[in-house]
Amino acid sequence: MKIKYAINTKIPKPDVLTGQNTSITNGRKTTLMELCGRAMIPYNITGGFPPVILLQKSGKGHFKVYNEDGIVTYSIDVSQIPAKKDPEFSARVLEIVSYGFLDYYSRECTRGVFGVLPLSKAWVERSCNDRKR
């Protein structure tokens, strides 16, 4: 059974670091598998190269770096996450990786975990009017 979380609609767009600024070393390194386990979300990835996730309290936002071997590292600024305890903390990190970075591996794991946005009244009315025609 998956835990359902309300969706965060204000995930900031992450930056991509290139050139000389690609060295990120401080922070706590974790994996997608570890985060899924702590968030009580099934890890259902069987191949490929899942990203490396670095948890930092930098206050500089989230960013992405490509390593020399092509492995992606996501640096997550955890000072922006309101939840401080698991399982919600790990779920919020996964949400940033899934919907901020649009990471395929993380989105496969979190599919159906975060609630959908409510439909706007205008969209519902327009849809109903289209069906009446």
Side-chain angles (χ1 to χ4, degrees):
M1 183 181 97
K2 288 185 180 180
I3 298 174
K4 292 279 190 177
Y5 296 96
I7 193 167
N8 177 7
T9 60
K10 297 180 181 176
I11 297 173
K13 182 179 179 244
D15 293 325
V16 178
L17 297 183
T18 58
Q20 301 296 325
N21 298 329
T22 60
S23 174
I24 53 172
T25 56
N26 58 340
R28 185 170 64 88
K29 196 178 278 192
T30 187
T31 63
L32 192 59
M33 182 184 287
E34 181 182 342
L35 286 171
C36 285
R38 291 195 324 236
M40 295 187 272
I41 296 171
Y43 180 77
N44 51 7
I45 304 300
T46 57
F49 300 98
V52 174
I53 300 167
L54 194 64
L55 305 176
Q56 304 188 86
K57 290 185 179 182
S58 64
K60 297 179 181 178
H62 315 304
F63 53 90
K64 170 164 93 172
V65 174
Y66 291 96
N67 298 344
E68 297 84 30
D69 53 359
I71 302 294
V72 177
T73 299
Y74 297 125
S75 176
I76 308 295
D77 184 4
V78 296
S79 66
Q80 299 177 2
I81 299 174
K84 299 300 178 197
K85 294 184 180 177
D86 282 330
E88 187 173 0
F89 175 80
S90 294
R92 294 301 171 191
V93 171
L94 287 169
E95 182 181 36
I96 292 167
V97 174
S98 297
Y99 301 107
F101 291 101
L102 299 177
D103 179 71
Y104 168 77
Y105 299 103
S106 182
R107 289 181 75 174
E108 282 295 306
C109 293
T110 60
R111 185 177 20 181
V113 172
F114 298 100
V116 296
L117 295 172
L119 298 176
S120 72
K121 186 177 178 182
W123 187 89
V124 172
E125 288 173 359
R126 185 175 64 234
S127 178
C128 290
N129 289 337
D130 288 345
R131 278 188 247 153
K132 290 178 185 175
R133 290 182 197 175

